[in-house]
């Protein structure tokens, strides 16, 4: 199945694309690569805030990473017209708003990685960075950015 068909089969509708909060673009293309700015786990219907694991559980932070990727997929679809134009997911960078002693960043960012593989299959497998931060914009629990290759 195509990425669009996978989303439909899961009953997932992508959220509206948010306007950037600063002097940057949601996406920037260079040749076959599309760089997707960091996305936050905030939509009209849900949001995930706080430090992991004290204010936001690891389980909820994992869901936050998944939601952040959904907002990034909406950007990709807006830029390319269809997720079916993605040749492959190249890289994911996940930032976790974590307490100093927290060390399970990979468990949180797995929410993003697992979702990308669920939607894109083999072409969804990617390199990844998962790091902790002392704070993130708007107090969110997670921020995720992507680099993708676009089909010719």
């Amino acid at each position: 199945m195509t990425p669009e068909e996978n989303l439909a089969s899961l009953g997932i509708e992508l959220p509206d694309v948010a306007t950037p909060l600063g002097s940057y673009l949601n996406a920037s293309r260079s040749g076959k690569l599309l760089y997707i700015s960091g996305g936050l786990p905030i939509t009209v219907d849900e949001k995930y805030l706080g430090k992991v694991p004290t204010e936001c559980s690891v389980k909820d932070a994992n869901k936050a990473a998944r939601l952040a990727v959904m907002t990034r997929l909406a950007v990709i679809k807006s830029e390319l017209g269809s997720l079916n134009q993605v040749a492959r997911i190249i890289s994911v960078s996940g930032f976790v708003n974590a307490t100093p002693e927290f060390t399970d960043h990979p468990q949180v960012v797995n929410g993003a990685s697992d979702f990308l593989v669920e939607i894109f299959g083999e072409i969804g497998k990617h390199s990844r960075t998962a790091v902790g931060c002392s704070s993130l914009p708007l107090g969110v629990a997670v921020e995720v950015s992507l680099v993708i290759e676009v089909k010719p």
Side-chain angles (χ1 to χ4, degrees):
M1 290 198 315
T2 68
E4 297 277 350
E5 291 169 338
N6 285 337
L7 280 175
S9 73
L10 294 169
I12 295 173
E13 287 189 37
L14 296 177
D16 292 334
V17 175
T19 302
L21 298 174
S23 301
Y24 63 90
L25 301 171
N26 273 319
S28 180
R29 188 168 178 173
S30 178
K32 296 189 310 186
L33 298 181
L34 187 62
Y35 295 82
I36 309 299
S37 293
L40 308 179
I42 298 174
T43 65
V44 172
D45 298 323
E46 63 185 316
K47 65 181 171 180
Y48 293 89
L49 304 174
K51 291 261 184 224
V52 179
T54 56
E55 299 167 332
C56 182
S57 70
V58 172
K59 183 177 179 181
D60 282 345
N62 181 282
K63 291 178 188 174
R66 179 183 171 101
L67 180 60
V69 165
M70 281 187 213
T71 71
R72 301 306 78 199
L73 295 183
V75 169
I76 294 168
K77 187 170 182 174
S78 173
E79 292 288 320
L80 302 179
S82 171
L83 296 179
N84 299 336
Q85 294 303 308
V86 174
R88 82 182 260 235
I89 307 298
I90 301 292
S91 179
V92 171
S93 295
F95 305 91
V96 181
N97 184 1
T99 60
E101 64 281 348
F102 184 71
T103 59
D104 285 337
H105 309 95
Q107 289 302 108
V108 171
V109 182
N110 279 347
S113 295
D114 293 345
F115 185 61
L116 287 166
V117 173
E118 183 178 10
I119 298 305
F120 290 97
E122 281 296 309
I123 67 167
K125 293 181 179 178
H126 51 271
S127 66
R128 185 178 88 178
T129 299
V131 298
C133 302
S134 63
S135 68
L136 287 172
L138 305 177
V140 296
V142 179
E143 183 172 357
V144 177
S145 65
L146 306 169
V147 178
I148 67 162
E149 182 181 347
V150 179
K151 289 180 180 175

